[in-house]
Every structure is written in C-alpha cells, then in structure tokens.
C-alpha cells in the first residue's frame, strides 16, 4: 500500500523498503504514483528537520531508503529504445551533496531518449565546462542545487558555461527546490522546470 511506502521512507526502513515497494507494485499501483508518494514523503522529512524533530542522520537514512525504493521501480519508469536526442549532462553544483532529485531527472531524461552523463554531486563549474567540451554531441545540460547557499554556485556554473562560449552548443536547464523561474532567467539559464517529468519534456524540446 502507498501508505506503507510513505511510512517506510519516513522512518528509514532500509531493509524492508524493497519488499514493500514490490508488494505495492504487485497490487497494481502505478510506478509513477509510488514515486510521487516517495517524493512527497521527502517533503515531510524536510519539514520535520526544519522543526528540529529529526536530524541529519535520520534525513540521510530516509534518503537512502528512498533511493533503494526507487531502484525497484526504476525499470518500470525507464522507457524502451536507444537514445535519440543525443547526450544530456547533469550534475549537482559545488558544495551541494543532494542527489535524489538530480537522479530522478537523469532517469526521466534517459527514458525520454537521451544518453545521460551524470557528473555526480559537488561538481565544480570547470568540470561541467570540460564535460560539455568533451561531448560535442551534448545538446542539453542540467544543473541541480538544493540549498539556498549553493544557488551562488549554480550562478557561477551557468556563467562559466556561457563564458566558455558553449551556449551555442548546449541549452542550460536548472532546477532544485530553492530555484525559481525568475532566478533561472536572472543567471542566464535557458530553462527551469519544477520536477523530473517536466524536465524530460523540456529537454526534448530544447534538443529539438
Ligand atoms: C534528503 C535530504 C538531505 C540528505 C541528502 C541525501 C542525498 N543523497 O541526496 C542529506 C542528509 C545528506 C542532507 C544534507 C544536508 N541538508 Co538536506 N535535505 C534533504 C531533504 C529532506 C530531501 C531532498 C530530496 O531528496 N527531495 C526529494 C527530491 C525528489 O526532490 P528535489 O531534490 O527537490 O528534486 C526535484 C525538483 O527540485 C527537480 N530538480 C532537482 N534537480 C533538478 C535539476 C534540473 C536540471 C531540473 C530541471 C529539475 C531538478 O526535480 C526533482 C524531481 O522531481 C530536503 C528537504 C526538501 N523538502 O527538499 C533537505 C534540505 C534540502 N536540506 C537542507 C539542509 C539545511 C541540509 C544540510 C545543510 C544539513 C546540515 N546541517 O548538515 C546538509 C547539506 C549537505 C550538503 N553540503 O549538501 C535544507 C535546505 C535549506 C535551505 N534553504 O537551503 C532542506 C530544505 C531541509 C529543511 N527544510 O531545512 N539533506
């Protein structure tokens, strides 16, 4: 049941999550709904952290539990067929270790027909620039930031890509909880979307 999935993520049931998600899939609940439930639960976890009801270790176990849960439904979310839109480079900016949202964007973009190059977390601006130069067939780059304090690193990253003259090759997409369309426009990004599904649709549009 979806409620069991939510409770398991919120309380960090690392050992049980795979079985619970599998049971929910077997009950006929669509993978997209299970994913949405887990995403919503991370919001609940964040709110509890903000209220000092839980601390970093609990937040981390919840995140690891969600990752494990996502791995069960990953094959159901990913589409079939090879890449047809070229490459999509993605990473979380310098100083920022959050990767669940980035990984979901990578997954959805891949299922939309891109070959994804994931640079990981805490990625310096220069590494984005190098990766784009090394992959001339990359048409879209995704930059993720989850902390208000790393929004500056996002700005620096976008500027570095533009200053390297690469905006004629790639379109830059940005996202993450603190990012707004206004901030995206202000720093010179080509697009912002609020979630992984819309990120995939937008990436296809930008690559076209
Ligand atoms: C899990 C978590 C952690 C885990 C991360 C584990 C991991 N591997 O990712 C750990 C425990 C490591 C962690 C650490 C910290 N965290 Co934290 N964390 C969270 C939490 C609870 C969930 C984040 C998450 O995964 N959400 C679920 C995903 C699916 O959502 P998402 O990331 O927003 O991604 C979606 C969209 O934003 C979008 N998107 C994301 N990236 C991109 C990119 C592109 C290109 C596009 C188009 C779209 C897009 O699509 C995604 C999918 O739909 C949030 C709370 C919250 N509400 O966000 C706090 C939160 C982000 N953390 C916070 C804080 C303060 C910290 C710490 C500083 C705590 C500390 N004192 O140490 C550290 C910082 C570490 C660092 N240097 O990065 C604060 C940030 C406050 C702020 N305003 O800056 C939050 C908001 C909690 C809170 N309410 O206070 N955290």
């Amino acid at each position: 049941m979806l409620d069991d999935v939510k409770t398991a993520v919120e309380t960090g049931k690392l050992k049980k999550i795979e079985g619970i998600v599998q049971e929910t899939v077997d009950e006929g609940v669509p993978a997209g709904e299970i994913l949405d439930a887990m995403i919503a639960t991370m919001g609940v976890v964040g709110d509890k952290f903000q209220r000092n009801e839980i601390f970093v270790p609990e937040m981390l176990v919840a995140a690891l539990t969600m990752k494990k849960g996502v791995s069960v439904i990953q094959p159901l979310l990913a589409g079939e067929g090879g890449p047809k839109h070229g490459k999509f480079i993605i990473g979380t900016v310098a100083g920022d270790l959050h990767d669940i949202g980035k990984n979901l964007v990578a997954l959805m973009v891949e299922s939309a027909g891109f070959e994804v190059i994931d640079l990981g977390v805490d990625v310096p601006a220069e590494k984005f620039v190098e990766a784009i130069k090394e992959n001339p067939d990359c048409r879209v780059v995704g930059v993720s930031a989850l902390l208000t304090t790393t929004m500056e690193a996002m700005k620096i990253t976008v500027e570095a890509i533009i200053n390297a003259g690469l905006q004629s090759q790639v379109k830059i997409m940005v996202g993450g909880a603190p990012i707004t369309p206004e901030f995206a426009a202000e720093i010179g990004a080509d697009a912002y979307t609020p979630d992984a599904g819309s990120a995939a649709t937008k990436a296809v549009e930008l690559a076209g």
Side-chain angles (χ1 to χ4, degrees):
M1 262 225 334
L2 272 184
D3 280 346
D4 297 330
V5 174
K6 288 182 184 171
T7 309
V9 171
E10 194 178 333
T11 55
K13 295 280 178 292
L14 255 182
K15 287 190 184 138
K16 293 194 174 152
I17 187 69
E18 286 165 308
I20 293 173
V21 171
Q22 190 58 54
E23 268 171 34
T24 312
V25 169
D26 294 343
E27 279 165 13
V29 180
E33 274 182 35
I34 300 176
L35 179 62
D36 286 346
M38 288 195 275
I39 293 176
T41 306
M42 292 315 283
V44 173
V45 169
D47 292 345
K48 280 187 156 183
F49 173 76
Q50 211 162 19
R51 292 196 300 266
N52 288 324
E53 288 168 23
I54 59 163
F55 301 95
V56 172
E58 287 96 330
M59 197 155 67
L60 186 58
V61 180
L64 292 172
T65 309
M66 171 158 175
K67 273 192 188 178
K68 243 186 169 179
V70 170
S71 72
V72 176
I73 52 171
Q74 191 155 345
L76 302 172
L77 293 168
E80 283 168 21
K84 45 184 183 287
H85 298 297
K87 289 176 180 157
F88 181 95
I89 292 173
I90 190 164
T92 302
V93 298
D96 201 321
L97 302 175
H98 295 85
D99 69 355
I100 296 181
K102 167 189 72 64
N103 294 345
L104 288 176
V105 172
L107 176 65
M108 297 306 275
V109 164
E110 192 178 323
S111 69
F114 285 86
E115 180 186 339
V116 173
I117 299 177
D118 188 345
L119 302 177
V121 295
D122 192 14
V123 181
E126 312 81 66
K127 204 166 160 193
F128 276 96
V129 170
E130 265 169 43
I132 297 166
K133 284 185 181 165
E134 280 166 15
N135 293 282
D137 54 340
C138 168
R139 308 290 305 281
V140 192
V141 59
V143 184
S144 180
L146 258 287
L147 298 168
T148 44
T149 48
T150 54
M151 288 170 75
E152 181 62 21
M154 176 177 271
K155 181 169 182 262
I156 291 169
T157 302
V158 172
E159 274 171 7
I161 297 170
I162 296 171
N163 292 342
L166 293 168
Q167 225 177 6
S168 54
Q169 178 196 325
V170 288
K171 299 284 185 208
I172 309 168
M173 291 179 63
V174 294
I179 310 304
T180 61
E182 292 74 26
F183 179 73
E186 189 189 309
I187 62 174
D190 297 292
Y192 156 85
T193 75
D195 56 50
S198 56
T201 313
K202 193 73 190 176
V204 170
E205 192 187 311
L206 292 174

